[in-house]
Amino acid sequence: MRKLQLPLSQTQKVRFERAIERLQSLSSSANSDASVIVTDSIPVNHDDAFLKGHGTSEVDGELLATVCGVVERVDKLVYVRTLRARYKPEVGDIVVGRVIEVAQKRWRVELNFNQDGVLMLSSMNMPDGIQRRRTSVDELNMRNIFVEHDVVCAEVRNFQHDGSLQLQARSQKYGKLEKGQLLKVDPYLVKRSKHHFHYVESLGIDLIIGCNGFIWVGEHVEVRDPMAIDDQKDEEMISSSSTGKEQSHIPLETRQTICRIGNAIRVLSNLGFTVTLEVIMETVNLSNSKNIDIHDMLGSEFHVVVAENEAERRRTKRKK
């Protein structure tokens, strides 16, 4: 939770501070050592063996925090997860990025990391969907796949010797993202989970929450079947060429929905709340129920309303 950088009236300030106090009381009662600053003591059971992780140090038999953040415990490992840190990648992470350079047999992708990601041509699923050796013709046609400023989705494959990330996009669900908007939040607001691809069927929207803090909100796109027969592909090419202008147009209702979801994510980021599908959709539904216009969602009043709603949601969830 952060200090709100928006002008608040006296009433809004009182409501917001009250909501923050409720949230802090809920978090502190749930885990008294959740948040720590430098030199804070981290309670551990010295009778049981434990492992010191990142952000901790043992001084005179006492485990102290060396960074500001949140205490995390994984089995016997105790470490401090720093806040507002840059993205710390892991193999298998789903990431969203922007192409910044087309080089020889590779694309360089910005990932909100201290180094750019590298997507090799050999690690890319070809447009024809056929698994084959890449040729010089494929290399010459790289700009037909991705160009600078394209938004792409990929998976972290491994780390290179210089510390940069090697990406892969061998599945049909990866690749170029179109007809939507890219948002950026602090990576610590995104929790790693089994599902980062979300399809909001009721709204016809695709939502990709990248582990690196880049979030994509766009019109739903059907994943093509790579095993489709050639005749079907030919028919699709003919139909797409004849209706290309119609397909490039996004309906007004869909664009408004994309903007509403995008503003909901911006509000959650401003407040420092964890960004999940559940919280995002609850914020969107809240704006609809309060009859708040899309541009008014970024105002002070809606930020206060979301903070109050989040405090009530956590209190209800804790009772259950």
Side-chain angles (χ1 to χ4, degrees), residues 89 113-116 159-165:
F113 184 48
N114 53 13
Q115 295 196 47
D116 299 324
F159 298 90
Q160 294 185 332
H161 297 294
D162 59 355
S164 61
L165 300 181

PDB file of all heavy atoms in Angstrom, residues 89 113-116 159-165:
ATOM      1  N   PRO A  89      13.891 -12.531 -12.887  1.00  0.00           N
ATOM      2  CA  PRO A  89      13.312 -13.607 -13.693  1.00  0.00           C
ATOM      3  C   PRO A  89      13.638 -14.995 -13.169  1.00  0.00           C
ATOM      4  O   PRO A  89      14.638 -15.213 -12.485  1.00  0.00           O
ATOM      5  CB  PRO A  89      13.935 -13.387 -15.073  1.00  0.00           C
ATOM      6  CG  PRO A  89      15.244 -12.717 -14.770  1.00  0.00           C
ATOM      7  CD  PRO A  89      15.019 -11.869 -13.558  1.00  0.00           C
ATOM      8  N   PHE A 113      13.732  -5.424 -17.169  1.00  0.00           N
ATOM      9  CA  PHE A 113      14.839  -6.103 -16.508  1.00  0.00           C
ATOM     10  C   PHE A 113      16.080  -5.264 -16.743  1.00  0.00           C
ATOM     11  O   PHE A 113      16.098  -4.370 -17.595  1.00  0.00           O
ATOM     12  CB  PHE A 113      14.983  -7.517 -17.097  1.00  0.00           C
ATOM     13  CG  PHE A 113      16.022  -8.375 -16.445  1.00  0.00           C
ATOM     14  CD1 PHE A 113      16.092  -8.493 -15.066  1.00  0.00           C
ATOM     15  CD2 PHE A 113      16.933  -9.084 -17.212  1.00  0.00           C
ATOM     16  CE1 PHE A 113      17.051  -9.285 -14.461  1.00  0.00           C
ATOM     17  CE2 PHE A 113      17.894  -9.886 -16.621  1.00  0.00           C
ATOM     18  CZ  PHE A 113      17.945  -9.981 -15.244  1.00  0.00           C
ATOM     19  N   ASN A 114      17.156  -5.538 -15.967  1.00  0.00           N
ATOM     20  CA  ASN A 114      18.366  -4.728 -16.142  1.00  0.00           C
ATOM     21  C   ASN A 114      19.069  -5.024 -17.464  1.00  0.00           C
ATOM     22  O   ASN A 114      19.959  -4.286 -17.865  1.00  0.00           O
ATOM     23  CB  ASN A 114      19.336  -4.924 -14.969  1.00  0.00           C
ATOM     24  CG  ASN A 114      19.643  -6.391 -14.724  1.00  0.00           C
ATOM     25  OD1 ASN A 114      19.341  -7.250 -15.555  1.00  0.00           O
ATOM     26  ND2 ASN A 114      20.240  -6.682 -13.579  1.00  0.00           N
ATOM     27  N   GLN A 115      18.683  -6.111 -18.140  1.00  0.00           N
ATOM     28  CA  GLN A 115      19.167  -6.394 -19.480  1.00  0.00           C
ATOM     29  C   GLN A 115      17.997  -6.806 -20.359  1.00  0.00           C
ATOM     30  O   GLN A 115      16.971  -7.271 -19.870  1.00  0.00           O
ATOM     31  CB  GLN A 115      20.225  -7.512 -19.472  1.00  0.00           C
ATOM     32  CG  GLN A 115      21.508  -7.138 -18.735  1.00  0.00           C
ATOM     33  CD  GLN A 115      22.638  -8.076 -19.067  1.00  0.00           C
ATOM     34  OE1 GLN A 115      22.880  -8.390 -20.229  1.00  0.00           O
ATOM     35  NE2 GLN A 115      23.344  -8.529 -18.046  1.00  0.00           N
ATOM     36  N   ASP A 116      18.172  -6.632 -21.658  1.00  0.00           N
ATOM     37  CA  ASP A 116      17.105  -6.976 -22.590  1.00  0.00           C
ATOM     38  C   ASP A 116      17.037  -8.484 -22.807  1.00  0.00           C
ATOM     39  O   ASP A 116      18.040  -9.199 -22.681  1.00  0.00           O
ATOM     40  CB  ASP A 116      17.329  -6.289 -23.943  1.00  0.00           C
ATOM     41  CG  ASP A 116      17.343  -4.772 -23.814  1.00  0.00           C
ATOM     42  OD1 ASP A 116      16.566  -4.268 -22.991  1.00  0.00           O
ATOM     43  OD2 ASP A 116      18.117  -4.122 -24.535  1.00  0.00           O
ATOM     44  N   PHE A 159      19.115 -18.451 -18.952  1.00  0.00           N
ATOM     45  CA  PHE A 159      19.941 -17.255 -18.814  1.00  0.00           C
ATOM     46  C   PHE A 159      21.206 -17.437 -19.646  1.00  0.00           C
ATOM     47  O   PHE A 159      21.809 -18.509 -19.657  1.00  0.00           O
ATOM     48  CB  PHE A 159      20.322 -17.022 -17.350  1.00  0.00           C
ATOM     49  CG  PHE A 159      19.146 -16.796 -16.449  1.00  0.00           C
ATOM     50  CD1 PHE A 159      18.514 -17.861 -15.825  1.00  0.00           C
ATOM     51  CD2 PHE A 159      18.665 -15.524 -16.227  1.00  0.00           C
ATOM     52  CE1 PHE A 159      17.436 -17.665 -14.995  1.00  0.00           C
ATOM     53  CE2 PHE A 159      17.580 -15.308 -15.401  1.00  0.00           C
ATOM     54  CZ  PHE A 159      16.964 -16.376 -14.786  1.00  0.00           C
ATOM     55  N   GLN A 160      21.617 -16.368 -20.315  1.00  0.00           N
ATOM     56  CA  GLN A 160      22.856 -16.415 -21.080  1.00  0.00           C
ATOM     57  C   GLN A 160      24.035 -16.037 -20.187  1.00  0.00           C
ATOM     58  O   GLN A 160      23.864 -15.595 -19.049  1.00  0.00           O
ATOM     59  CB  GLN A 160      22.761 -15.467 -22.281  1.00  0.00           C
ATOM     60  CG  GLN A 160      21.712 -15.904 -23.310  1.00  0.00           C
ATOM     61  CD  GLN A 160      21.715 -15.026 -24.543  1.00  0.00           C
ATOM     62  OE1 GLN A 160      22.076 -13.855 -24.469  1.00  0.00           O
ATOM     63  NE2 GLN A 160      21.298 -15.577 -25.672  1.00  0.00           N
ATOM     64  N   HIS A 161      25.249 -16.224 -20.720  1.00  0.00           N
ATOM     65  CA  HIS A 161      26.456 -15.999 -19.926  1.00  0.00           C
ATOM     66  C   HIS A 161      26.595 -14.544 -19.493  1.00  0.00           C
ATOM     67  O   HIS A 161      27.164 -14.250 -18.438  1.00  0.00           O
ATOM     68  CB  HIS A 161      27.697 -16.422 -20.717  1.00  0.00           C
ATOM     69  CG  HIS A 161      27.718 -17.900 -21.047  1.00  0.00           C
ATOM     70  ND1 HIS A 161      27.826 -18.871 -20.078  1.00  0.00           N
ATOM     71  CD2 HIS A 161      27.624 -18.565 -22.229  1.00  0.00           C
ATOM     72  CE1 HIS A 161      27.801 -20.077 -20.642  1.00  0.00           C
ATOM     73  NE2 HIS A 161      27.679 -19.913 -21.949  1.00  0.00           N
ATOM     74  N   ASP A 162      26.085 -13.613 -20.297  1.00  0.00           N
ATOM     75  CA  ASP A 162      26.204 -12.194 -19.952  1.00  0.00           C
ATOM     76  C   ASP A 162      25.087 -11.728 -19.037  1.00  0.00           C
ATOM     77  O   ASP A 162      24.996 -10.540 -18.712  1.00  0.00           O
ATOM     78  CB  ASP A 162      26.228 -11.339 -21.223  1.00  0.00           C
ATOM     79  CG  ASP A 162      24.969 -11.532 -22.065  1.00  0.00           C
ATOM     80  OD1 ASP A 162      24.130 -12.386 -21.710  1.00  0.00           O
ATOM     81  OD2 ASP A 162      24.837 -10.825 -23.082  1.00  0.00           O
ATOM     82  N   GLY A 163      24.210 -12.643 -18.596  1.00  0.00           N
ATOM     83  CA  GLY A 163      23.138 -12.293 -17.682  1.00  0.00           C
ATOM     84  C   GLY A 163      21.825 -11.963 -18.344  1.00  0.00           C
ATOM     85  O   GLY A 163      20.806 -11.781 -17.662  1.00  0.00           O
ATOM     86  N   SER A 164      21.813 -11.862 -19.673  1.00  0.00           N
ATOM     87  CA  SER A 164      20.570 -11.562 -20.370  1.00  0.00           C
ATOM     88  C   SER A 164      19.683 -12.803 -20.434  1.00  0.00           C
ATOM     89  O   SER A 164      20.142 -13.928 -20.206  1.00  0.00           O
ATOM     90  CB  SER A 164      20.852 -11.050 -21.786  1.00  0.00           C
ATOM     91  OG  SER A 164      21.546 -12.030 -22.534  1.00  0.00           O
ATOM     92  N   LEU A 165      18.430 -12.596 -20.745  1.00  0.00           N
ATOM     93  CA  LEU A 165      17.453 -13.680 -20.790  1.00  0.00           C
ATOM     94  C   LEU A 165      17.277 -14.191 -22.203  1.00  0.00           C
ATOM     95  O   LEU A 165      17.208 -13.409 -23.152  1.00  0.00           O
ATOM     96  CB  LEU A 165      16.096 -13.200 -20.269  1.00  0.00           C
ATOM     97  CG  LEU A 165      16.031 -12.682 -18.839  1.00  0.00           C
ATOM     98  CD1 LEU A 165      14.612 -12.281 -18.495  1.00  0.00           C
ATOM     99  CD2 LEU A 165      16.530 -13.734 -17.872  1.00  0.00           C
TER     100      LEU A 165
END
